[in-house]
Amino acid sequence: MSKETENRRAAEERLHRAADGTWDCAFFALDREGGVEGWNPGAEKLLGYTGREILGRSWDIFFSPEDRAAGRPARLLEDARGRGTAADEGWRVRKDGSRFWADARLTALRDPEGSLQGYAHFLLDRTEARAAEEAAQARLLARVRDLEEANREIDAFASLAAHDLGVPLRAIRMYLETLKEQAAARLAPEEREEMGRLEAAAARMEALVRDLLAYSRLRAADLPRGKMDLADVVAEVLRDLGPALAQRGAAVAVEGDLPPVLGNRTGLARVLCNFAVNAATYVPPGVKPRIVVRAERRGARVRIWVEDNGIGIAPEHHARIFEPLERLHRQDEHPGTGLGLAIAKRAAERMGGAVGVESEPGKGSRFWVELPAFDPETGTAIGGNSKAAR
């Protein structure tokens, strides 16, 4: 007998001795056809058969009738024979007919020449662990459903509140404008200043209500996607923002090609508008905004960048700024509703895209929105299967 054969047999004997001594794991040896050749106390405890009852019988007795009908025992033997090992999770059947959820491992045993001698099989009872996992999963799904329902209720309330608040707010602003026109000559300077504060507060409230309504509607809004000429959308946004950007002295440049994307024109315009307004707003005192718009292909997607020379954002706040009503600055420092970037994020997600930012304090920001690239030859997103609207 060769030294290699002696070592292999010694290792197998140690394996059998270790398996015979444990009650926590069921171990049994199978012959080449799947007949039971060896049986440890753990297997007797788990499956209910004594060694005398089970030796020589086929291991498929431990499988459910449906698994036997589907050929699962033979398939596992074939997998272990071909790959050396096979892993399986599923129901197994005890002698008394009761079932348990098993974690199974099957290993092919071969002699030094490579001939198949049989199989070593380990079974662990994971019924309780599986029940605990299923219970945890059920709790998680219930929690997700509760949160989704809560979000729907919050959005419905926000939409209703925004709509109902809009009417009296507009009336307040109109009343303030009329009062200012009629009484301006009789007001003292400090009274005119107070009047200005009231007008500014009403304007901020109207903006907040408008953004709140837009944000809530985006959850349920249908954003049909189709081919978009990115250059046209960018030009439209910059044209609409032209007076506001000029008032701030902003310089805007569009660099390179802007390839077509698959998305929604209104949704993308809203995203880019929010990015551009932020770029023109969050600049250090005395600094004129510089805004660069460009795009790049990234595999099957297009990333559109809106870069600025603003105050920048610390990395720990990059995710936070896209959450609703999250503000990093006081209203008197940089005005805003705290909903612009949240609206941008939700609009991008409704188009099957994503948003993000690269920024550091004092080094400006590079906001991006990423959408599927459009393939003009197929009329679909690159790598996609569905026909896009043209």
Side-chain angles (χ1 to χ4, degrees), residues 212-223:
L212 186 61
L213 188 59
Y215 182 74
S216 63
R217 284 177 173 172
L218 271 173
R219 176 179 292 276
D222 181 19
L223 291 182

Side-chain angles (χ1 to χ4, degrees), residues 1-330:
M1 181 183 297
S2 69
K3 186 67 174 176
E4 182 180 1
T5 301
E6 290 179 359
N7 291 340
R8 183 178 182 85
R9 289 187 176 177
E12 290 178 358
E13 288 175 4
R14 288 195 298 272
L15 174 65
H16 281 279
R17 285 198 301 271
D20 285 342
T22 178
W23 288 79
D24 296 327
C25 175
F27 168 83
F28 46 96
L30 305 176
D31 62 24
R32 285 174 292 185
E33 286 72 39
V36 179
E37 287 188 327
W39 195 251
N40 82 327
E44 181 175 335
K45 175 184 176 183
L46 178 59
L47 293 163
Y49 296 93
T50 64
R52 182 179 300 177
E53 292 174 315
I54 199 62
L55 293 180
R57 300 182 67 175
S58 174
W59 81 312
D60 63 8
I61 196 174
F62 310 128
F63 290 81
S64 65
E66 53 270 28
D67 280 347
R68 291 200 300 271
R72 192 169 187 170
R75 189 165 59 251
L76 287 172
L77 291 176
E78 183 181 351
D79 288 346
R81 185 165 58 248
R83 297 199 300 261
T85 61
D88 183 49
E89 275 193 314
W91 293 109
R92 297 294 189 270
V93 181
R94 298 185 179 90
K95 178 183 176 181
D96 62 7
S98 62
R99 297 189 180 197
F100 66 96
W101 187 262
D103 182 355
R105 296 292 185 274
L106 187 66
T107 302
L109 301 176
R110 298 182 180 276
D111 63 20
E113 286 73 37
S115 298
L116 181 68
Q117 300 300 300
Y119 304 88
H121 188 42
F122 291 86
L123 274 179
L124 285 174
D125 183 358
R126 294 194 67 252
T127 307
E128 291 185 4
R130 182 172 185 265
E133 291 170 2
E134 289 180 339
Q137 183 69 16
R139 289 193 298 271
L140 178 60
L141 290 175
R143 179 61 175 161
V144 169
R145 285 193 295 269
D146 289 344
L147 289 174
E148 289 176 345
E149 179 61 27
N151 282 335
R152 283 192 292 270
E153 292 176 357
I154 290 171
D155 283 343
F157 172 78
S159 179
L160 180 62
H163 181 271
D164 289 349
L165 284 171
V167 175
L169 276 172
R170 284 192 293 273
I172 290 172
R173 286 200 68 188
M174 291 176 61
Y175 176 75
L176 286 173
E177 289 174 3
T178 302
L179 184 62
K180 185 177 179 181
E181 290 176 2
Q182 294 178 351
R186 300 193 303 271
L187 294 176
E190 62 271 15
E191 291 172 329
R192 285 196 293 271
E193 186 176 340
E194 289 296 329
M195 184 72 72
R197 291 196 183 97
L198 284 174
E199 286 184 303
R204 286 197 301 271
M205 182 62 74
E206 272 196 297
L208 179 59
V209 166
R210 183 176 59 250
D211 284 353
L212 186 61
L213 188 59
Y215 182 74
S216 63
R217 284 177 173 172
L218 271 173
R219 176 179 292 276
D222 181 19
L223 291 182
R225 297 190 304 166
K227 175 189 176 183
M228 289 191 304
D229 188 320
L230 190 52
D232 284 350
V233 179
V234 171
E236 178 185 329
V237 169
L238 295 180
R239 184 169 60 250
D240 291 344
L241 292 177
L245 296 177
Q247 186 178 13
R248 291 177 168 87
V252 183
V254 180
E255 296 182 351
D257 295 331
L258 301 177
V261 295
L262 186 69
N264 177 272
R265 190 179 186 91
T266 302
L268 180 57
R270 190 182 293 274
V271 174
L272 296 178
C273 179
N274 277 302
F275 287 174
V277 168
N278 267 22
T281 302
Y282 293 93
V283 291
V287 174
K288 290 187 177 181
R290 292 197 311 274
I291 304 170
V292 175
V293 181
R294 61 183 181 85
E296 62 179 342
R297 279 285 300 274
R298 293 195 166 203
R301 299 173 80 81
V302 172
R303 178 169 288 191
I304 306 126
W305 295 91
V306 178
E307 305 173 353
D308 63 54
N309 62 332
I311 58 178
I313 305 162
E316 62 267 25
H317 298 313
H318 286 184
R320 175 186 164 193
I321 59 173
F322 289 99
E323 296 303 315
L325 302 177
E326 286 287 350
R327 293 182 53 84
L328 304 183
H329 309 280
R330 297 196 313 270

Side-chain angles (χ1 to χ4, degrees), residues 303-385:
R303 178 169 288 191
I304 306 126
W305 295 91
V306 178
E307 305 173 353
D308 63 54
N309 62 332
I311 58 178
I313 305 162
E316 62 267 25
H317 298 313
H318 286 184
R320 175 186 164 193
I321 59 173
F322 289 99
E323 296 303 315
L325 302 177
E326 286 287 350
R327 293 182 53 84
L328 304 183
H329 309 280
R330 297 196 313 270
Q331 184 70 235
D332 58 345
E333 292 178 333
H334 297 284
T337 65
L339 282 168
L341 292 178
I343 290 172
K345 177 184 178 185
R346 183 170 280 189
E349 290 172 347
R350 295 289 290 137
M351 293 186 288
V355 295
V357 65
E358 295 179 1
S359 183
E360 293 181 35
K363 296 184 179 180
S365 299
R366 302 169 70 233
F367 283 88
W368 57 264
V369 56
E370 200 169 84
L371 293 173
F374 186 84
D375 187 344
E377 293 184 0
T378 63
T380 65
I382 292 178
N385 297 316

